[in-house]
């Protein structure tokens, strides 16, 4: 017998994603269901394509600096500096105190560009944790790491 989506449990016996998670279908007060919005990614922009790019591109390419630049030291980024990078073609965010250049990742984001741009130029920790608490941002964006956010 196959379990329904609402009753799938992981090996620890807990629901995944957890009840109330934004990743689950939500029940509205009138009893109807609200499905999450899905975005169709362009060909060549799947999570596997991102993993391949992340493993083959240079750190300079992912951080937005020329390859001829010597390996940069990680910098201290102020909130004002972070705010200056809030555009689709120049997009930084902070997650758990680390600042990442997410410009190369925008078209790979499963929720679409509009969703990831909500944290452009600002601390996106709470938004990231709300929807992706199980994702290791440090690993996924390791070559995009620019520095540490200082407040």
């Amino acid at each position: 017998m196959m379990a329904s989506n609402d009753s799938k449990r992981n090996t620890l016996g807990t629901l995944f994603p957890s009840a109330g998670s934004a990743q689950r279908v939500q029940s509205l007060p009138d009893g109807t269901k609200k499905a999450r919005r899905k975005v169709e990614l362009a060909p060549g922009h799947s999570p596997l394509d991102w993993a391949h790019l992340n493993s083959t591109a240079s750190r300079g390419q992912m951080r937005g600096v020329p390859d001829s630049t010597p390996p940069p030291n990680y910098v201290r980024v102020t909130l004002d500096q972070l705010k200056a990078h809030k555009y689709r073609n120049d997009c930084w965010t902070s997650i758990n105190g680390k600042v990442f250049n997410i410009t190369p990742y925008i078209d790979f984001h499963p929720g679409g560009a509009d969703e990831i741009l909500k944290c452009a130029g600002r601390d996106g920790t709470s938004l990231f944790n709300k929807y992706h608490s199980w994702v290791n941002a440090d690993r996924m964006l390791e070559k995009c790491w620019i520095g540490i956010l200082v407040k």
Side-chain angles (χ1 to χ4, degrees):
M1 176 165 89
M2 192 156 172
S4 73
N5 283 342
D6 289 337
S7 63
K8 286 188 178 175
R9 298 191 181 276
N10 64 19
T11 57
L12 299 175
T14 58
L15 287 174
F16 179 81
S18 62
S21 166
Q23 296 293 317
R24 295 180 65 79
V25 172
Q26 303 295 315
S27 294
L28 300 175
D30 64 2
T32 60
K33 302 279 186 180
K34 176 186 171 191
R36 57 180 223 181
R37 184 178 75 93
K38 297 199 177 189
V39 175
E40 185 175 337
L41 298 174
H45 289 84
S46 73
L48 288 176
D49 293 316
W50 173 254
H52 175 72
L53 176 64
N54 207 22
S55 69
T56 59
S58 73
R59 188 172 297 276
Q61 288 172 307
M62 302 297 270
R63 291 182 74 203
V65 297
D67 282 335
S68 60
T69 304
N73 292 326
Y74 296 105
V75 297
R76 295 167 55 95
V77 179
T78 66
L79 285 172
D80 287 339
Q81 289 171 318
L82 182 63
K83 287 178 189 176
H85 299 274
K86 60 182 178 183
Y87 306 101
R88 194 181 199 299
N89 64 344
D90 179 21
C91 187
W92 292 6
T93 191
S94 173
I95 300 171
N96 299 321
K98 290 184 175 180
V99 177
F100 298 96
N101 173 15
I102 57 172
T103 310
Y105 183 68
I106 291 172
D107 292 329
F108 292 87
H109 186 258
D114 291 342
E115 290 300 312
I116 198 166
L117 288 170
K118 289 178 180 178
C119 64
R122 67 186 195 97
D123 187 337
T125 302
S126 62
L127 193 58
F128 181 86
N129 288 337
K130 178 179 179 181
Y131 293 100
H132 306 299
S133 60
W134 64 90
V135 176
N136 183 337
D138 292 343
R139 176 71 177 112
M140 186 177 70
L141 298 170
E142 66 184 324
K143 286 190 176 177
C144 301
W145 184 27
I146 292 171
I148 303 296
L149 183 65
V150 293
K151 295 181 181 184

